[in-house]
Amino acid sequence: MKKILLTGALGQIGSELTGKMREIYGTDNVIATDIRQTDSEVVTAGPFEILDVMDIEAMGNIAKKYNVDTIIHLAALLSATAEAKPLLAWNLNMGGLVNALEVSRELQCQFFTPSSIGAFGPTTPKDCTPQDTIQRPTTMYGVNKVAGELLCDYYYQKFGVDTRGLRFPGLISYVAPPGGGTTDYAVEIYYEAIKNERYTSYIDRGTYMDMMYMPDALNAIIDLMEANPSNLKHRNSFNVTAMSFEPEQIAAEIRKHIPAFEMEYQVDPVRQTIANSWPNSIDPTAASEEWGFKADYDLAKMTTDMLEKLKMKLG
Ligand code: AKB
Protein backbone atom coordinates (compact mmCIF):
# COMPACT_ATOMS: atom_id res chain seq x y z
CA MET A 1 0.00 0.00 0.00
CA LYS A 2 1.68 3.19 -1.19
CA LYS A 3 -1.15 5.37 -2.59
CA ILE A 4 -4.50 4.60 -1.04
CA LEU A 5 -8.01 5.70 -2.06
CA LEU A 6 -10.79 5.40 0.52
CA THR A 7 -14.47 5.60 -0.37
CA GLY A 8 -17.03 6.48 2.33
CA ALA A 9 -14.20 8.14 4.26
CA LEU A 10 -16.58 10.19 6.42
CA GLY A 11 -18.36 7.08 7.73
CA GLN A 12 -17.70 5.30 11.02
CA ILE A 13 -14.60 3.36 9.89
CA GLY A 14 -13.26 5.90 7.40
CA SER A 15 -13.33 8.76 9.92
CA GLU A 16 -10.57 7.00 11.87
CA LEU A 17 -8.89 4.83 9.26
CA THR A 18 -8.06 7.86 7.08
CA GLY A 19 -6.10 9.55 9.89
CA LYS A 20 -4.34 6.35 10.92
CA MET A 21 -3.32 5.56 7.35
CA ARG A 22 -2.10 9.13 6.81
CA GLU A 23 0.13 8.71 9.87
CA ILE A 24 1.55 5.42 8.58
CA TYR A 25 1.71 5.96 4.81
CA GLY A 26 2.04 9.77 4.63
CA THR A 27 -0.68 12.41 4.39
CA ASP A 28 -0.42 12.93 0.64
CA ASN A 29 -0.64 9.19 -0.02
CA VAL A 30 -4.11 8.71 1.45
CA ILE A 31 -6.93 10.12 -0.67
CA ALA A 32 -10.21 10.34 1.20
CA THR A 33 -13.47 10.48 -0.76
CA ASP A 34 -17.10 10.73 0.24
CA ILE A 35 -20.41 11.81 -1.28
CA ARG A 36 -20.55 14.73 1.18
CA GLN A 37 -18.11 17.22 2.62
CA THR A 38 -17.68 18.35 6.22
CA ASP A 39 -15.07 20.39 8.09
CA SER A 40 -13.57 17.26 9.72
CA GLU A 41 -9.86 16.46 9.50
CA VAL A 42 -10.59 13.75 6.93
CA VAL A 43 -11.46 16.61 4.56
CA THR A 44 -9.14 19.37 5.76
CA ALA A 45 -5.94 17.55 6.75
CA GLY A 46 -5.10 15.80 3.46
CA PRO A 47 -6.28 15.06 -0.07
CA PHE A 48 -10.08 14.85 -0.29
CA GLU A 49 -12.45 14.49 -3.26
CA ILE A 50 -16.24 14.36 -3.47
CA LEU A 51 -17.20 10.97 -4.95
CA ASP A 52 -20.48 9.18 -5.52
CA VAL A 53 -19.44 5.52 -5.71
CA MET A 54 -22.23 4.91 -8.24
CA ASP A 55 -20.22 7.04 -10.70
CA ILE A 56 -17.55 4.66 -12.00
CA GLU A 57 -16.07 7.25 -14.36
CA ALA A 58 -15.50 9.73 -11.53
CA MET A 59 -14.02 6.96 -9.36
CA GLY A 60 -11.64 5.92 -12.14
CA ASN A 61 -10.62 9.53 -12.79
CA ILE A 62 -9.77 10.15 -9.11
CA ALA A 63 -7.87 6.86 -8.90
CA LYS A 64 -5.87 7.78 -12.02
CA LYS A 65 -5.31 11.41 -10.95
CA TYR A 66 -3.59 10.23 -7.76
CA ASN A 67 -2.06 7.10 -9.29
CA VAL A 68 -3.44 4.91 -6.49
CA ASP A 69 -2.36 1.29 -5.96
CA THR A 70 -4.90 0.42 -3.22
CA ILE A 71 -8.66 0.92 -2.89
CA ILE A 72 -10.37 0.67 0.51
CA HIS A 73 -14.06 0.59 -0.35
CA LEU A 74 -16.14 1.53 2.70
CA ALA A 75 -19.20 3.31 1.25
CA ALA A 76 -22.29 1.20 2.02
CA LEU A 77 -25.61 1.21 3.87
CA LEU A 78 -25.73 -0.69 7.19
CA SER A 79 -28.23 -3.40 8.10
CA ALA A 80 -31.21 -1.50 9.52
CA THR A 81 -31.16 1.15 6.79
CA ALA A 82 -30.76 -1.55 4.16
CA GLU A 83 -33.82 -3.33 5.58
CA ALA A 84 -35.83 -0.08 5.38
CA LYS A 85 -34.64 0.67 1.82
CA PRO A 86 -33.79 -2.71 0.27
CA LEU A 87 -33.67 -1.60 -3.37
CA LEU A 88 -31.45 1.37 -2.58
CA ALA A 89 -29.23 -0.97 -0.53
CA TRP A 90 -28.91 -3.42 -3.41
CA ASN A 91 -28.11 -0.66 -5.89
CA LEU A 92 -25.66 1.19 -3.67
CA ASN A 93 -23.98 -1.69 -1.85
CA MET A 94 -23.58 -3.87 -4.93
CA GLY A 95 -23.24 -1.07 -7.52
CA GLY A 96 -20.58 0.74 -5.51
CA LEU A 97 -18.70 -2.51 -4.87
CA VAL A 98 -18.61 -3.64 -8.49
CA ASN A 99 -17.48 -0.15 -9.57
CA ALA A 100 -14.64 -0.19 -7.04
CA LEU A 101 -13.65 -3.70 -8.13
CA GLU A 102 -13.68 -2.69 -11.79
CA VAL A 103 -11.43 0.31 -11.12
CA SER A 104 -9.14 -1.99 -9.11
CA ARG A 105 -9.04 -4.46 -11.99
CA GLU A 106 -8.24 -1.77 -14.56
CA LEU A 107 -5.53 -0.13 -12.45
CA GLN A 108 -4.31 -3.37 -10.79
CA CYS A 109 -4.99 -2.08 -7.29
CA GLN A 110 -4.98 -4.05 -4.08
CA PHE A 111 -8.54 -4.02 -2.72
CA PHE A 112 -10.28 -4.14 0.67
CA THR A 113 -13.95 -4.04 1.58
CA PRO A 114 -15.64 -4.99 4.85
CA SER A 115 -18.09 -7.83 5.11
CA SER A 116 -20.01 -8.44 8.34
CA ILE A 117 -21.49 -10.91 10.80
CA GLY A 118 -24.60 -9.99 8.79
CA ALA A 119 -23.32 -12.37 6.09
CA PHE A 120 -24.62 -15.18 8.32
CA GLY A 121 -28.25 -16.16 8.84
CA PRO A 122 -30.58 -18.15 11.05
CA THR A 123 -29.40 -21.52 9.69
CA THR A 124 -25.73 -20.73 10.43
CA PRO A 125 -24.31 -22.40 13.58
CA LYS A 126 -24.93 -19.73 16.24
CA ASP A 127 -22.00 -20.23 18.62
CA CYS A 128 -18.35 -20.09 17.65
CA THR A 129 -19.53 -19.74 14.04
CA PRO A 130 -16.82 -21.28 11.81
CA GLN A 131 -15.01 -19.42 9.04
CA ASP A 132 -16.50 -21.68 6.38
CA THR A 133 -20.13 -22.51 7.07
CA ILE A 134 -23.74 -22.04 5.92
CA GLN A 135 -24.44 -18.48 4.74
CA ARG A 136 -28.15 -17.98 4.06
CA PRO A 137 -28.86 -14.50 5.51
CA THR A 138 -32.46 -13.26 5.65
CA THR A 139 -31.69 -9.52 5.39
CA MET A 140 -30.93 -7.39 2.33
CA TYR A 141 -27.69 -6.32 4.02
CA GLY A 142 -26.73 -9.97 4.45
CA VAL A 143 -27.59 -10.77 0.85
CA ASN A 144 -25.34 -7.86 -0.21
CA LYS A 145 -22.51 -9.06 2.04
CA VAL A 146 -22.58 -12.68 0.83
CA ALA A 147 -22.82 -11.57 -2.81
CA GLY A 148 -19.99 -9.10 -2.12
CA GLU A 149 -17.74 -11.78 -0.62
CA LEU A 150 -18.33 -13.99 -3.66
CA LEU A 151 -17.78 -11.11 -6.08
CA CYS A 152 -14.47 -10.24 -4.41
CA ASP A 153 -13.38 -13.90 -4.63
CA TYR A 154 -14.41 -13.87 -8.29
CA TYR A 155 -12.29 -10.79 -9.06
CA TYR A 156 -9.33 -12.48 -7.37
CA GLN A 157 -9.73 -15.81 -9.16
CA LYS A 158 -10.75 -14.46 -12.58
CA PHE A 159 -8.74 -11.24 -12.85
CA GLY A 160 -6.02 -11.61 -10.21
CA VAL A 161 -7.18 -8.56 -8.21
CA ASP A 162 -5.64 -8.82 -4.72
CA THR A 163 -8.98 -8.65 -2.87
CA ARG A 164 -9.11 -9.01 0.91
CA GLY A 165 -11.93 -8.60 3.44
CA LEU A 166 -13.04 -8.93 7.05
CA ARG A 167 -16.38 -10.00 8.50
CA PHE A 168 -16.70 -7.23 11.06
CA PRO A 169 -18.88 -7.49 14.15
CA GLY A 170 -20.49 -4.35 15.65
CA LEU A 171 -17.80 -1.66 15.75
CA ILE A 172 -17.68 0.62 18.79
CA SER A 173 -16.04 4.02 18.65
CA TYR A 174 -16.22 7.44 20.28
CA VAL A 175 -15.20 9.34 17.13
CA ALA A 176 -17.96 8.95 14.53
CA PRO A 177 -21.38 7.35 15.14
CA PRO A 178 -22.22 4.27 13.02
CA GLY A 179 -25.75 5.14 11.82
CA GLY A 180 -28.28 2.66 10.53
CA GLY A 181 -26.84 -0.53 12.01
CA THR A 182 -28.31 -3.18 14.29
CA THR A 183 -25.35 -3.13 16.68
CA ASP A 184 -25.47 0.69 17.11
CA TYR A 185 -27.03 0.31 20.58
CA ALA A 186 -23.60 -0.66 21.90
CA VAL A 187 -22.31 2.79 20.89
CA GLU A 188 -25.40 4.83 21.87
CA ILE A 189 -25.40 3.31 25.36
CA TYR A 190 -22.08 5.01 26.22
CA TYR A 191 -23.27 8.46 25.05
CA GLU A 192 -26.51 8.13 27.03
CA ALA A 193 -24.70 6.78 30.11
CA ILE A 194 -22.60 9.94 30.24
CA LYS A 195 -25.35 12.39 29.26
CA ASN A 196 -28.36 10.99 31.19
CA GLU A 197 -27.17 8.00 33.26
CA ARG A 198 -29.85 5.90 31.56
CA TYR A 199 -30.45 4.14 28.24
CA THR A 200 -33.45 2.57 26.55
CA SER A 201 -32.22 -0.40 24.54
CA TYR A 202 -33.92 -1.38 21.28
CA ILE A 203 -32.17 -4.77 21.49
CA ASP A 204 -33.63 -7.17 24.03
CA ARG A 205 -31.81 -8.59 27.04
CA GLY A 206 -30.24 -11.97 26.30
CA THR A 207 -29.36 -11.07 22.67
CA TYR A 208 -25.68 -11.84 22.15
CA MET A 209 -23.74 -10.26 19.28
CA ASP A 210 -20.04 -9.96 18.47
CA MET A 211 -18.41 -6.56 18.94
CA MET A 212 -15.00 -4.93 18.50
CA TYR A 213 -13.43 -1.64 19.57
CA MET A 214 -12.38 0.56 16.65
CA PRO A 215 -8.59 0.55 17.34
CA ASP A 216 -8.63 -3.26 16.92
CA ALA A 217 -10.68 -2.95 13.72
CA LEU A 218 -8.24 -0.45 12.20
CA ASN A 219 -5.25 -2.64 13.08
CA ALA A 220 -7.02 -5.65 11.59
CA ILE A 221 -7.56 -3.87 8.25
CA ILE A 222 -3.94 -2.74 8.03
CA ASP A 223 -2.51 -6.10 9.19
CA LEU A 224 -4.62 -8.02 6.68
CA MET A 225 -3.67 -5.69 3.83
CA GLU A 226 0.03 -5.98 4.75
CA ALA A 227 -0.14 -9.78 5.17
CA ASN A 228 1.99 -11.97 2.92
CA PRO A 229 -0.46 -13.20 0.25
CA SER A 230 1.13 -16.65 0.20
CA ASN A 231 -0.12 -17.16 3.79
CA LEU A 232 -3.76 -16.47 2.87
CA LYS A 233 -5.95 -19.50 2.31
CA HIS A 234 -9.04 -17.34 2.68
CA ARG A 235 -9.52 -13.84 1.36
CA ASN A 236 -13.15 -12.73 1.36
CA SER A 237 -13.81 -12.55 4.16
CA PHE A 238 -12.18 -13.43 7.49
CA ASN A 239 -14.20 -13.77 10.71
CA VAL A 240 -12.84 -11.25 13.26
CA THR A 241 -14.20 -10.47 16.72
CA ALA A 242 -13.02 -9.22 20.09
CA MET A 243 -15.97 -9.94 22.40
CA SER A 244 -19.55 -11.15 22.49
CA PHE A 245 -22.07 -9.70 24.97
CA GLU A 246 -25.75 -9.04 25.53
CA PRO A 247 -27.20 -5.68 26.70
CA GLU A 248 -27.22 -6.56 30.42
CA GLN A 249 -23.48 -7.26 30.33
CA ILE A 250 -22.50 -3.93 28.78
CA ALA A 251 -24.85 -2.16 31.24
CA ALA A 252 -23.18 -3.97 34.17
CA GLU A 253 -19.74 -2.94 32.89
CA ILE A 254 -20.85 0.71 32.59
CA ARG A 255 -22.24 0.56 36.16
CA LYS A 256 -18.71 -0.14 37.42
CA HIS A 257 -17.91 3.44 36.34
CA ILE A 258 -21.36 5.08 36.66
CA PRO A 259 -23.13 3.24 39.52
CA ALA A 260 -26.44 5.10 38.99
CA PHE A 261 -26.72 3.94 35.36
CA GLU A 262 -30.15 2.49 34.54
CA MET A 263 -31.24 0.40 31.59
CA GLU A 264 -34.73 0.04 30.14
CA TYR A 265 -35.97 -1.88 27.13
CA GLN A 266 -38.18 -0.86 24.23
CA VAL A 267 -37.46 -3.52 21.66
CA ASP A 268 -37.48 -2.52 17.99
CA PRO A 269 -38.96 -5.53 16.16
CA VAL A 270 -37.02 -4.86 12.94
CA ARG A 271 -33.58 -4.62 14.51
CA GLN A 272 -34.36 -7.41 16.99
CA THR A 273 -35.30 -9.74 14.11
CA ILE A 274 -32.04 -8.88 12.36
CA ALA A 275 -30.05 -9.50 15.57
CA ASN A 276 -31.81 -12.82 16.15
CA SER A 277 -30.74 -13.99 12.70
CA TRP A 278 -27.04 -13.29 13.40
CA PRO A 279 -24.55 -15.47 15.32
CA ASN A 280 -24.02 -15.14 19.08
CA SER A 281 -20.27 -15.35 18.57
CA ILE A 282 -17.99 -16.07 15.63
CA ASP A 283 -14.69 -17.95 15.51
CA PRO A 284 -11.69 -15.86 14.32
CA THR A 285 -9.19 -18.77 14.23
CA ALA A 286 -8.56 -18.56 10.47
CA ALA A 287 -7.65 -14.87 10.80
CA SER A 288 -5.32 -15.64 13.71
CA GLU A 289 -3.63 -18.51 11.89
CA GLU A 290 -3.31 -16.95 8.43
CA TRP A 291 -2.23 -13.38 9.30
CA GLY A 292 -1.89 -13.14 13.07
CA PHE A 293 -5.16 -11.40 14.00
CA LYS A 294 -5.39 -10.52 17.70
CA ALA A 295 -7.71 -8.07 19.48
CA ASP A 296 -6.38 -5.99 22.39
CA TYR A 297 -9.66 -4.72 23.84
CA ASP A 298 -12.17 -6.80 25.80
CA LEU A 299 -15.42 -5.36 27.21
CA ALA A 300 -13.82 -4.05 30.42
CA LYS A 301 -10.86 -2.35 28.72
CA MET A 302 -13.05 -0.90 25.97
CA THR A 303 -15.60 0.47 28.46
CA THR A 304 -12.91 2.24 30.49
CA ASP A 305 -11.47 3.84 27.35
CA MET A 306 -14.85 4.71 25.78
CA LEU A 307 -16.12 6.46 28.90
CA GLU A 308 -12.87 8.35 29.42
CA LYS A 309 -12.69 9.55 25.79
CA LEU A 310 -16.41 10.36 25.56
CA LYS A 311 -16.34 12.39 28.78
CA MET A 312 -13.61 14.53 27.21
CA LYS A 313 -15.49 14.76 23.91
CA LEU A 314 -18.85 15.67 25.50
CA GLY A 315 -17.24 18.04 27.98
C1 AKB B 1 -24.70 -3.37 11.49
O1 AKB B 1 -25.20 -3.50 12.61
O2 AKB B 1 -25.37 -3.27 10.45
C2 AKB B 1 -23.20 -3.37 11.36
C3 AKB B 1 -22.70 -4.75 11.12
C4 AKB B 1 -22.58 -5.71 12.22
O3 AKB B 1 -22.38 -5.07 10.01
N1 AKB B 1 -22.62 -2.81 12.55
Side-chain angles (χ1 to χ4, degrees):
M1 290 195 286
K2 293 196 174 69
K3 275 266 180 190
I4 304 156
L5 173 76
L6 289 102
T7 70
L10 291 171
Q12 193 199 13
I13 300 176
S15 293
E16 291 181 64
L17 185 60
T18 302
K20 186 169 174 95
M21 286 188 144
R22 282 177 177 160
E23 270 168 32
I24 299 173
Y25 300 102
T27 301
D28 291 342
N29 295 325
V30 180
I31 297 87
T33 71
D34 205 289
I35 197 164
R36 65 202 166 98
Q37 191 159 352
T38 65
D39 58 5
S40 86
E41 282 197 355
V42 168
V43 176
T44 58
F48 177 85
E49 301 272 350
I50 294 276
L51 173 65
D52 176 354
V53 292
M54 298 302 284
D55 185 347
I56 189 170
E57 203 183 321
M59 196 189 291
N61 287 342
I62 295 171
K64 282 177 202 150
K65 174 176 162 188
Y66 291 94
N67 201 15
V68 303
D69 64 10
T70 305
I71 295 184
I72 309 284
H73 177 58
L74 303 173
L77 297 185
L78 291 182
S79 56
T81 310
E83 223 35 36
K85 299 175 187 166
L87 192 59
L88 175 65
W90 176 264
N91 288 335
L92 179 69
N93 290 358
M94 300 313 299
L97 176 61
V98 81
N99 287 348
L101 283 166
E102 267 302 294
V103 173
S104 299
R105 181 183 67 77
E106 194 192 335
L107 303 181
Q108 297 186 325
C109 294
Q110 200 190 7
F111 183 83
F112 173 87
T113 199
S115 184
S116 159
I117 51 171
F120 298 118
T123 50
T124 302
K126 260 205 155 345
D127 296 300
C128 208
T129 304
Q131 174 67 37
D132 301 307
T133 186
I134 300 164
Q135 289 183 266
R136 303 288 291 178
T138 46
T139 62
M140 176 50 89
Y141 182 67
V143 169
N144 297 165
K145 289 303 184 190
V146 175
E149 289 184 9
L150 294 172
L151 195 61
C152 289
D153 275 348
Y154 180 81
Y155 267 74
Y156 169 64
Q157 281 149 12
K158 180 91 176 172
F159 304 120
V161 179
D162 184 359
T163 57
R164 306 184 187 195
L166 298 170
R167 287 186 190 130
F168 274 133
L171 297 181
I172 295 169
S173 142
Y174 58 87
V175 176
T182 301
T183 56
D184 297 8
Y185 92 89
V187 179
E188 291 169 4
I189 193 171
Y190 288 109
Y191 280 84
E192 292 306 310
I194 289 172
K195 287 197 268 187
N196 302 315
E197 296 193 344
R198 61 189 307 125
Y199 179 63
T200 305
S201 175
Y202 60 80
I203 292 293
D204 207 358
R205 50 166 70 80
T207 311
Y208 283 83
M209 284 186 279
D210 284 288
M211 303 281 172
M212 186 185 274
Y213 200 32
M214 190 59 86
D216 282 329
L218 303 184
N219 286 337
I221 295 173
I222 291 166
D223 289 351
L224 172 63
M225 291 302 276
E226 294 288 3
N228 183 341
S230 61
N231 294 339
L232 301 182
K233 293 193 206 83
H234 298 87
R235 281 177 166 272
N236 306 289
S237 291
F238 285 93
N239 284 3
V240 284
T241 183
M243 62 196 97
S244 164
F245 57 73
E246 55 104 4
E248 287 294 311
Q249 288 173 307
I250 186 170
E253 202 56 51
I254 289 172
R255 252 177 236 120
K256 290 181 187 165
H257 302 261
I258 306 173
F261 179 68
E262 281 177 31
M263 179 93 141
E264 290 168 342
Y265 290 87
Q266 208 172 325
V267 173
D268 168 15
V270 174
R271 284 178 286 186
Q272 185 63 43
T273 304
I274 297 174
N276 290 345
S277 77
W278 289 355
N280 294 332
S281 63
I282 61 173
D283 176 11
T285 303
S288 310
E289 286 178 356
E290 291 177 39
W291 50 275
F293 166 72
K294 191 177 137 312
D296 282 338
Y297 286 86
D298 60 11
L299 178 57
K301 191 171 169 192
M302 175 180 77
T303 299
T304 303
D305 200 60
M306 264 304 270
L307 291 174
E308 193 184 301
K309 299 280 172 34
L310 269 184
K311 272 181 199 153
M312 285 194 284
K313 180 176 170 176
L314 301 174

